[in-house]
Amino acid sequence: MQNKPFILAVDGHDGTGKTTLTRRLAQALKAEYVRPYGDPYGPALLEAADGKDFTALIDVANQAYQQVLKLHGEKPLLVFDRLWITLFTLLPETHHRLWTHRPATAICWIDLNTTLARLADRDEQTYPNSWHKRYVELYLHLGKQYQCTVINTQINDEEKALALLIDWASREIERAER
């Protein structure tokens, strides 16, 4: 492909099947699965966002991105479980221009009721329904605004959603190789 890795990202709100699908996509493509916003970066992102410290938010996201490249930069293909669309859900739109790492991205999406039902089965911190409503709407809005592929994992079962992701990824890889 090229000297630096080719990057694809799969993004979306909690409960969409994003992580399961991203892992399966990486496996199908024989790519490296990476999760840049795991500890310690994810909590630091949320802390900066809560404090409305958008400079720190971008700095933390960049540190996470650079750490992934440091650890996996020799791989030809990286599949990110969250990246810039997640960052943009935390930033005001006026700050989006400050983030330049925008690889091809697919959004996994489901409606609010499905989100709440799926998250009810998890043993995680809970947030108010209004919090989830905001992110469900925001991921869909940003996906459309930035012309990302949006895959509805509510109407597509896991196998169909994976097939759609593989098709999307194959087109993006082919486009890059031209």
Side-chain angles (χ1 to χ4, degrees), residues 19 22-23 26 31-35 72 77-81:
T19 297
T22 305
R23 285 185 175 156
E32 190 76 14
Y33 166 86
V34 294
R35 190 170 169 249
H72 306 284
L77 179 59
L78 301 178
V79 179
F80 278 63
D81 180 346

Side-chain angles (χ1 to χ4, degrees), residues 32-65:
E32 190 76 14
Y33 166 86
V34 294
R35 190 170 169 249
Y37 301 146
D39 282 338
Y41 301 106
L45 282 176
L46 293 176
E47 182 178 328
D50 287 346
K52 299 199 182 316
D53 187 346
F54 303 124
T55 301
L57 185 60
I58 292 170
D59 286 345
V60 170
N62 194 52
Q63 289 171 26
Y65 183 80

Side-chain angles (χ1 to χ4, degrees), residues 144-164:
K144 290 178 179 179
Q145 177 180 348
Y146 289 103
Q147 300 175 347
C148 300
T149 294
V150 176
I151 297 174
N152 185 326
T153 60
Q154 177 182 334
I155 62 172
N156 293 295
D157 67 17
E158 186 177 320
E159 295 308 315
K160 176 64 176 172
L162 178 61
L164 292 169

Side-chain angles (χ1 to χ4, degrees), residues 19-173:
T19 297
T20 299
L21 289 165
T22 305
R23 285 185 175 156
R24 291 192 65 196
L25 175 64
Q27 183 179 28
L29 298 174
K30 296 179 177 42
E32 190 76 14
Y33 166 86
V34 294
R35 190 170 169 249
Y37 301 146
D39 282 338
Y41 301 106
L45 282 176
L46 293 176
E47 182 178 328
D50 287 346
K52 299 199 182 316
D53 187 346
F54 303 124
T55 301
L57 185 60
I58 292 170
D59 286 345
V60 170
N62 194 52
Q63 289 171 26
Y65 183 80
Q66 295 304 324
Q67 181 66 12
V68 167
L69 293 182
K70 180 179 175 185
L71 294 174
H72 306 284
E74 77 289 349
K75 305 288 184 182
L77 179 59
L78 301 178
V79 179
F80 278 63
D81 180 346
R82 295 191 188 266
L83 189 57
W84 61 282
I85 294 292
T86 288
L87 177 62
F88 285 12
T89 67
L90 303 172
L91 284 172
E93 192 167 344
T94 55
H95 287 66
H96 290 187
R97 64 180 171 69
L98 301 174
W99 183 262
T100 58
H101 310 294
R102 299 182 190 184
T105 299
I107 307 289
C108 292
W109 185 86
I110 54 177
D111 70 15
L112 179 61
N113 289 335
T114 307
T115 296
L116 296 174
R118 288 184 183 177
L119 294 177
D121 294 336
R122 294 185 178 181
D123 185 27
E124 295 177 357
Q125 180 179 356
T126 58
Y127 295 93
N129 291 0
S130 60
W131 189 87
H132 291 293
K133 181 179 188 303
R134 176 181 182 273
Y135 284 101
V136 165
E137 291 172 356
L138 194 50
Y139 274 104
L140 184 60
H141 169 76
L142 290 169
K144 290 178 179 179
Q145 177 180 348
Y146 289 103
Q147 300 175 347
C148 300
T149 294
V150 176
I151 297 174
N152 185 326
T153 60
Q154 177 182 334
I155 62 172
N156 293 295
D157 67 17
E158 186 177 320
E159 295 308 315
K160 176 64 176 172
L162 178 61
L164 292 169
L165 278 173
I166 291 169
D167 183 56
W168 160 79
S170 298
R171 286 192 316 271
E172 294 297 334
I173 292 167

